[in-house]
Amino acid sequence: MVPTYRRASSLKACLDALRLQSLQPLEILVIVRADDEESRATVDEAGGSVRMLTVHVPGTVAALNCGREFASGEFLAITDDDAVPTPGWLRAIAARFETDPMIGAVGGRDIVHHGNEIDEGDTDVVGRVKWWGRRIGRHHLRSDLQDVDFLKGANMAFRAAALRPFDDRLLGRGAQVSLDLEATWSVRRRGWRVVYDPAVVVDHYPAPRHDDDARHQRSLEAEHNEQHNEVYSLLLHASQWHVPAILGYTLLVGTRKAPGLLLFLHPRLSHMLRRRIPGLAAARLSALKTVRQALRANARDRSVGGPPTHT
């Protein structure tokens, strides 16, 4: 499944790479917005097993839920339209799933290209959530085979039985940052294994985002959405004992680019960043409200015979 929006040249490179897979996919679903004529033309030219699905609602959540509805495979692999999977990508994903029926999601490294340079390095830990809410990503670095808490959206695949609908409470009209965190950590917290496999590789060429969450000039709304989505995703799938720690850490400490309230008077903090702290705190608190709404809705679903959870 490839969600796309107004990045036709990148999409073409992605589709070309999928056609060169050593293990051919049953189908390639490209989810396109109704007003994105250039991308629609690119999909029409692709032919073969490429199928175009059209959405009228902006955002990656709507796109992936559309793809999930129409997908017919036992395993659903997802990549970004600005990623180029290596030829053995799907074969490595399938091989890893076959090792254990309890593996619910598989992903690997996305080699991030910046012009002629790439982000290099080695790490022991990938894709972990500390008990107090600190996230460790590092999916772009080299690492060993390991079980993880979450994967990166440009390179993730799911066992269809383990994948719930993507959460439409995530904010944003474009990339909807932390969608990958919510989806894969949900799989992990419901008892499935989530695996990072270094043999599962895509080359990632970050392309412009045509929404508030532009890569180099982000709006205040995009910052609010990111903080809401991250804290919401963490709290929603945390145990009740971890909720106070996660909320306290994110609200008071935060991160270097999105500091918490305790850093408001830090002498080395720029004036611009200090002015943003109250808004970041408000976004994090709003996530708690969204979590409560989600939990109430989940309780109603269970009371009327909703889908069983995996144990």
Side-chain angles (χ1 to χ4, degrees):
M1 299 198 295
V2 185
T4 188
Y5 184 59
R6 294 177 58 191
R7 303 199 290 202
S9 60
S10 296
L11 175 62
K12 183 180 184 305
C14 178
L15 295 180
D16 288 344
L18 292 176
R19 278 195 291 267
L20 296 175
Q21 292 294 301
S22 59
L23 175 64
Q24 280 294 298
L26 175 67
E27 58 189 355
I28 301 171
L29 303 179
V30 183
I31 306 95
V32 184
R33 291 195 208 174
D35 61 347
D36 186 0
E37 294 298 334
E38 190 175 0
S39 295
R40 296 174 69 85
T42 300
V43 178
D44 286 338
E45 293 170 1
S49 61
V50 180
R51 180 182 177 189
M52 180 166 56
L53 302 175
T54 301
V55 288
H56 298 271
V57 178
T60 310
V61 168
L64 289 179
N65 277 333
C66 176
R68 177 181 174 276
E69 180 181 354
F70 285 94
S72 55
E74 181 182 357
F75 306 109
L76 309 177
I78 299 171
T79 191
D80 286 352
D81 56 0
D82 58 357
V84 177
T86 55
W89 182 61
L90 287 178
R91 187 173 296 279
I93 288 173
R96 183 51 52 195
F97 274 121
E98 290 170 359
T99 63
D100 183 356
M102 288 304 297
I103 294 178
V106 171
R109 184 184 179 197
D110 71 318
I111 302 175
V112 182
H113 295 253
H114 303 285
N116 295 324
E117 298 181 355
I118 63 174
D119 289 338
E120 289 280 15
D122 300 279
T123 184
D124 294 328
V125 178
V126 173
R128 301 292 175 85
V129 178
K130 296 292 188 179
W131 65 267
W132 62 89
R134 181 191 171 205
R135 282 201 299 163
I136 301 174
R138 303 177 186 169
H139 299 88
H140 62 294
L141 301 178
R142 289 182 296 267
S143 193
D144 298 325
L145 177 69
Q146 57 189 284
D147 280 40
V148 299
D149 293 321
F150 68 97
L151 299 167
K152 193 169 181 178
N155 189 3
M156 61 182 183
F158 297 87
R159 190 180 297 272
L163 180 61
R164 288 180 171 177
F166 293 91
D167 197 323
D168 59 9
R169 292 181 177 86
L170 296 171
L171 301 181
R173 297 188 296 272
Q176 291 173 290
V177 177
S178 291
L179 177 153
D180 44 10
L181 169 66
E182 194 286 322
T184 52
W185 206 36
S186 168
V187 171
R188 173 73 179 85
R189 296 293 291 175
R190 284 183 282 115
W192 298 88
R193 292 178 61 196
V194 177
V195 178
Y196 171 95
D197 188 336
V200 177
V201 180
V202 303
D203 286 291
H204 197 178
Y205 301 88
R209 291 173 175 167
H210 301 286
D211 55 48
D212 287 338
D213 190 28
R215 295 190 186 276
H216 303 295
Q217 188 175 2
R218 307 175 69 225
S219 69
L220 292 178
E221 182 181 359
E223 289 186 353
H224 177 281
N225 293 344
E226 178 178 1
Q227 292 306 305
H228 170 279
N229 292 352
E230 178 176 343
V231 176
Y232 168 73
S233 299
L234 292 172
L235 292 178
L236 183 63
H237 303 297
S239 71
Q240 61 177 331
W241 309 110
H242 290 158
V243 167
I246 292 173
L247 188 60
Y249 174 78
T250 56
L251 186 62
L252 299 177
V253 180
T255 64
R256 183 178 301 177
K257 71 174 184 178
L261 293 171
L262 287 179
L263 298 180
F264 186 80
L265 298 177
H266 193 288
R268 294 186 180 179
L269 198 66
S270 70
H271 178 67
M272 183 74 68
L273 196 54
R274 186 176 289 111
R275 289 179 58 188
R276 287 162 45 202
I277 288 178
L280 295 172
R284 290 158 176 158
L285 287 173
S286 72
L288 182 60
K289 179 180 178 181
T290 310
V291 169
R292 289 171 176 164
Q293 294 171 347
L295 293 178
R296 284 197 295 267
N298 290 342
R300 287 196 299 270
D301 290 342
R302 288 193 293 270
S303 70
V304 295
T309 59
H310 183 88
T311 57

